[in-house]
Amino acid sequence: MRYLLLSFLILFSVSAMAQENPLAQKVTGTIINDNTLLPIANANVININKVKGVVTDKKGFFELEVSVNDTIHISLLGYQSLRVRVTNDWLKNGTAKLQLTEKAIALEEVIVKKYDLTGYLEIDSKLIPEKDNYRYSISGLPQGYETGSSSPGAFSRVLGSIFNPADMLYNFFGNKSNELKKLKKMKKDDTVRHLLESKFDRETLGVLLGIDKKEIAEILTRCSYSEEFIKTANDLQIMDAISECYEQYKVLSKKHEKYIHE
């Protein structure tokens, strides 16, 4: 009876592990233009679940490691992004043809310079506002905290936003722990890292983290990053900023819990 029970427990454990880690396979596909039906090269194909990506070759072909029900995000500058789910039929039937639609972009006006400069240094230096960014270091944390414009209460706002249970930042980090674990994976994959480094629209980052693009700016504001940084940083820098804030949140939360118990 004891051996029977042990065998049952082993089978149950193996079954549970198989459900948590579905069998990884490779799926293939070809990306084409839905209008011309020509192959699209250099399109970014990312498995959101595994945080792994590839780039299509000159024939629009790609091969990517997946499991059934994984979601694939396909994007390229000038095209509308596409998300598709991996099905058993796709894996059985072989290569699938996926179509991307070109974006209709009307460029009405281009602003080359932000300030109307005169050419005289003494006058122009007064036209451009000074922006002082400060970073506070917190004991036990490897990196500093950017607080944006000069703000004496910035440090207390950081602590307040993290420790206030009703705050959006607390709720976000608490509810998105599984998605935030992907942050470290993102930098390990060359395709994902290079894509984020070249983008400024927060789309791919939002898809990988499972949040709306608008939430990203709000999160960084609550983390006390400067408005200029939020507007000008590329997606890889934004990812690092969220990752840094999350790591600080975890450290400070542990210290806070320890303090309460003591």
Side-chain angles (χ1 to χ4, degrees), residues 184-250:
K184 292 182 179 179
K185 289 184 180 179
M186 292 182 196
K187 292 193 75 171
K188 292 181 180 178
D189 187 276
D190 290 340
T191 301
V192 175
R193 188 176 66 253
H194 293 325
L195 174 60
L196 293 177
E197 191 174 17
S198 66
K199 298 195 73 174
F200 293 80
D201 60 5
R202 319 302 184 226
E203 180 194 1
T204 303
L205 186 59
V207 168
L208 288 168
L209 291 178
I211 60 177
D212 189 88
K213 292 192 295 182
K214 296 178 181 177
E215 285 186 279
I216 294 176
E218 187 174 357
I219 292 163
L220 291 175
T221 300
R222 298 299 182 96
C223 290
S224 289
Y225 280 90
S226 65
E227 183 180 352
E228 185 176 4
F229 171 80
I230 296 172
K231 287 182 177 180
T232 60
N234 63 41
D235 285 5
L236 184 63
Q237 292 169 322
I238 294 293
M239 184 203 73
D240 282 337
I242 295 176
S243 179
E244 178 183 339
C245 187
Y246 179 53
E247 292 303 318
Q248 291 174 347
Y249 158 81
K250 290 194 295 184

Side-chain angles (χ1 to χ4, degrees), residues 20 27 31 34 38 48 56 67 70 82 151 197 220 262:
E20 291 179 2
V27 73
I31 311 298
D34 71 337
L38 294 174
I48 297 173
T56 57
S67 296
D70 280 355
L82 177 68
S151 180
E197 191 174 17
L220 291 175
E262 290 177 351

